[in-house]
Amino acid sequence: MKKNAFKLAFICFFLSAALLLIPSCKADDDDDNNTTAKTTYTITLNANGGTMTGRKTYKVEIGENWRIPEATELGLSHKTLNFQGWATSAGSSEVTYGDNYLFCPESDLTLYAIWAETKQVTYTVTSSDSLNDIITSIKTLQESKTAYTIYIDGELELTGRISIEDPSEHGTPVKMAEKITIIGKGTEDKLLGSSDTILHIKTQAPVIIKNLTLSNGDGYAPITEKCGGAIYMEGSSASVTLDSGAILSSNKADKGGAVYVSGGTLRIAGAKITENKASSGEGGAIFNDKGTIQITGGEISSNEASFGGAIYTSNELDMSGGTVSGNKATEFGGGIYIKSGTVSLTGGAISKNSATNGGGVFANGGSISAEGTGISENTAVKGAGVFNKASFTLGGGSISYNTATKSESETSCGGGIYNDSEATVLIEGGYVSSNSADNGAGIYNRATFTFNNGFIDSNIASGNGGGIYNSGKATMGTHSLQNGMYIIAGKIEENKADGNGGGIYNADGLFSLNTERQADDTVVFGSISGNTATSGKTWYKEGGTVKIKGTEQNETSSDEDIKE
């Protein structure tokens, strides 16, 4: 008994001591043998080729925010260059932390001053009037080699829009600055609109917004419709970056609930654009008219419109990261509505969006290439993942777990992709898998569909066509890689139809499984196997023509797997 009591007391003592060693947030303890918990981090400021007369070392309580002292307070200077900000390595040219930046250290840290020829000017504003005055001053000075940082301190309620516009000289715009960064000084700083857009940006100088909320904007009306609830971009040279910590929320307009891109380039690199509305119009979050949208990170969520719950674009869109999720369109394009232009989807996710047609993406025109973006868990009556009336190529990534749900008047079609009349879909890689619909759970084709490589698998139709429902021209071919050195082909596997045609249901038109003969006389073709249905596990012909390896099939259906 005494031995057990001694063991229990020892265990309790050991656990108590161990708990004392656990810091309140991430800690890099240089001495693993310390028995005392680390309570502070050491921040060292290095002039990195410049001079600094002020304090160089600081102790910061673990878990506490710390603000870098202003360059003037530190007596920071350089003989020939201008201070840009701070980096975590001496050789870096990229600024990690701006002047007077607030952050929570997660370890001991040395910050190195970054120097460049560009002059840096910093302002702090606490009222909308002073913000207007500063923008007017920058415009008047016309110092195109000066980078301005404007810190917003607190919640600024605007009575009108803030116009950032280049001055004009003999009818020609003059670049007003090297760049303009608008940043929150703390953690809850805001620009609050009223009956207009918040920022009207018409300058050649790049504008960067970070660590700041833009809310309650109501849009700018260049003619009659209000556009860009929070930001209205104008001019082919306009450049706006929505960086980390930027939040655009609760704004509204007829077009572009948060942002209207009349021209120029909008970059989303860590911002959150949420709960904006173009309820009776287009682009719940963003309307792109003649500009370019680049999405590398961040979140576009819970926005609403009639067309394009998140994004409506008629020009260029490039998505390589970030998420478009939980948006709603009462008509077409829950995530993205593509009117025209070139769209490249190489990364990120389009998920959990909803619409009547095109839950994830509705392509009404243009050219769309999907190489790595995941399109998943979207819902619609037709084309839960993608509704295509344009030219759509899937070369990688996945279209998966989308659900086409029937309405009171229509059966659901195209859980993965709905390819409408006169449109083209080409699949060269990737997956169309685990989607569901009444008919055509994977693909519902009414036009031209070519499947050369990739997988159409594990889709479930409550009616006909687990993998593909075809009433157009569907070709299952092969795909040559590396200058024809070898050939690969697609696979239609493990799909299910409660009705007919587990793999293929041919309602009309032509379905053709082609072959390719290689140099060694080996014949390569795609495979259709492991599918299930009431009738025609592999394929079912209601009408039209089915050709397998060049031979027209006279039977109505086949349960026999087709494999290489």
Side-chain angles (χ1 to χ4, degrees):
M1 179 70 77
K2 288 183 179 180
K3 183 181 290 187
N4 289 336
F6 175 76
K7 284 183 178 179
L8 181 60
F10 176 78
I11 291 169
C12 291
F13 171 79
F14 178 80
L15 289 174
S16 299
L19 287 170
L20 290 174
L21 295 175
I22 300 174
S24 58
C25 64
K26 295 178 183 177
D28 292 333
D29 196 339
D30 294 331
D31 187 359
D32 292 335
N33 297 319
N34 274 345
T35 56
T36 303
K38 187 178 180 72
T39 60
T40 62
Y41 291 131
T42 300
I43 310 297
T44 304
L45 302 180
N46 187 310
N48 197 24
T51 59
M52 183 165 55
T53 59
R55 185 177 169 186
K56 299 178 178 61
T57 304
Y58 299 82
K59 294 289 186 181
V60 182
E61 294 289 330
I62 291 177
E64 295 294 323
N65 286 328
W66 180 71
R67 188 183 299 281
I68 304 171
E70 291 185 359
T72 52
E73 180 185 340
L74 293 168
L76 196 59
S77 63
H78 194 286
K79 289 182 179 180
T80 58
L81 302 176
N82 296 292
F83 176 67
Q84 307 295 304
W86 300 93
T88 55
S89 64
S92 176
S93 60
E94 296 292 326
V95 173
T96 305
Y97 303 110
D99 192 23
N100 205 221
Y101 191 80
L102 179 72
F103 71 107
C104 180
E106 296 185 350
S107 65
D108 293 334
L109 189 63
T110 298
L111 299 178
Y112 298 88
I114 302 300
W115 305 97
E117 291 183 1
T118 301
K119 180 182 176 183
Q120 291 283 340
V121 176
T122 300
Y123 297 100
T124 298
V125 299
T126 57
S127 71
S128 59
D129 289 340
S130 62
L131 178 57
N132 257 321
D133 291 342
I134 287 168
I135 297 298
T136 301
S137 175
I138 294 172
K139 180 177 177 179
T140 303
L141 289 171
Q142 298 182 26
E143 294 186 356
S144 62
K145 292 296 183 182
T146 299
Y148 295 92
T149 300
I150 303 172
Y151 285 99
I152 306 299
D153 189 359
E155 293 189 6
L156 277 58
E157 296 185 7
L158 309 179
T159 56
R161 65 181 177 271
I162 302 295
S163 293
I164 305 175
E165 183 177 354
D166 284 335
S168 180
E169 193 172 280
H170 306 297
T172 302
V174 178
K175 187 178 179 182
M176 65 192 294
E178 177 72 20
K179 69 177 178 179
I180 299 170
T181 301
I182 304 173
I183 182 172
K185 192 174 181 70
T187 56
E188 297 183 358
D189 303 296
K190 298 178 181 180
L191 292 179
L192 302 176
S194 54
S195 58
D196 207 328
T197 192
I198 295 173
L199 298 175
H200 180 190
I201 298 172
K202 189 180 179 182
T203 175
Q204 301 167 68
V207 176
I208 299 137
I209 300 168
K210 60 193 300 185
N211 199 36
L212 180 68
T213 297
L214 276 60
S215 189
N216 298 343
D218 196 46
Y220 167 64
I223 304 177
T224 55
E225 293 180 306
K226 286 198 167 185
C227 302
I231 298 172
Y232 185 95
M233 292 174 57
E234 187 174 356
S236 60
S237 298
S239 172
V240 174
T241 298
L242 301 177
D243 215 331
S244 58
I247 300 174
L248 277 61
S249 65
S250 302
N251 302 284
K252 60 185 174 66
D254 296 318
K255 293 183 176 181
V259 184
Y260 186 96
V261 186
S262 175
T265 301
L266 172 67
R267 298 177 179 86
I268 301 167
K272 183 176 183 179
I273 306 176
T274 185
E275 297 182 358
N276 304 282
K277 286 187 177 182
S279 297
S280 59
E282 298 94 17
I286 301 167
F287 186 102
N288 180 31
D289 186 11
K290 299 175 183 177
T292 298
I293 301 173
Q294 297 174 352
I295 305 172
T296 59
E299 172 187 329
I300 305 174
S301 63
S302 303
N303 302 283
E304 185 177 339
S306 296
F307 299 84
I311 299 170
Y312 182 107
T313 182
S314 56
N315 208 37
E316 293 186 22
L317 168 64
D318 183 354
M319 182 177 180
S320 59
T323 60
V324 176
S325 63
N327 303 282
K328 178 183 178 181
T330 54
E331 298 292 337
F332 305 143
I336 301 173
Y337 182 99
I338 303 163
K339 180 182 178 182
S340 56
T342 302
V343 175
S344 175
L345 306 173
T346 58
I350 301 170
S351 65
K352 298 180 180 179
N353 305 285
S354 63
T356 302
N357 292 327
V361 176
F362 187 101
N364 196 48
S367 175
I368 302 94
S369 173
E371 295 285 345
T373 300
I375 302 174
S376 65
E377 298 181 79
N378 302 285
T379 59
V381 178
K382 294 180 179 178
V386 177
F387 189 112
N388 182 53
K389 293 172 68 71
S391 173
F392 181 89
T393 299
L394 178 66
S398 63
I399 299 174
S400 60
Y401 296 100
N402 301 285
T403 303
T405 56
K406 63 182 178 182
S407 67
E408 292 181 358
S409 58
E410 292 184 289
T411 57
S412 64
C413 306
I417 300 173
Y418 185 101
N419 193 39
D420 206 4
S421 56
E422 300 182 9
T424 61
V425 167
L426 170 63
I427 297 181
E428 299 262 81
Y431 294 81
V432 179
S433 64
S434 303
N435 303 286
S436 61
D438 289 336
N439 297 317
I443 311 283
Y444 190 100
N445 179 53
R446 297 184 60 212
T448 302
F449 168 57
T450 304
F451 179 39
N452 288 338
N453 182 35
F455 294 85
I456 300 174
D457 70 278
S458 307
N459 302 285
I460 300 175
S462 59
N464 302 317
I468 300 171
Y469 184 109
N470 179 55
S471 61
K473 180 182 179 182
T475 303
M476 190 172 176
T478 57
H479 181 53
S480 299
L481 295 179
Q482 297 181 357
N483 299 319
M485 290 181 66
Y486 64 95
I487 298 171
I488 54 180
K491 299 181 184 298
I492 302 174
E493 299 176 338
E494 306 296 332
N495 301 284
K496 178 184 177 182
D498 291 342
N500 300 323
I504 311 293
Y505 182 91
N506 203 67
D508 198 1
L510 168 67
F511 173 82
S512 178
L513 187 151
N514 294 340
T515 62
E516 181 85 24
R517 185 175 296 277
Q518 299 186 85
D520 62 357
D521 278 343
T522 302
V523 176
V524 177
F525 50 88
S527 63
I528 309 174
S529 64
N531 303 284
T532 60
T534 299
S535 181
K537 294 177 182 180
T538 301
W539 57 264
Y540 184 95
K541 182 178 68 175
E542 178 70 24
T545 302
V546 173
K547 287 186 177 181
I548 304 297
K549 304 178 191 176
T551 302
E552 184 173 339
Q553 305 299 300
N554 296 319
E555 299 86 357
T556 301
S557 64
S558 173
D559 290 338
E560 184 178 348
D561 286 348
I562 301 171
K563 293 184 178 181
E564 294 182 52

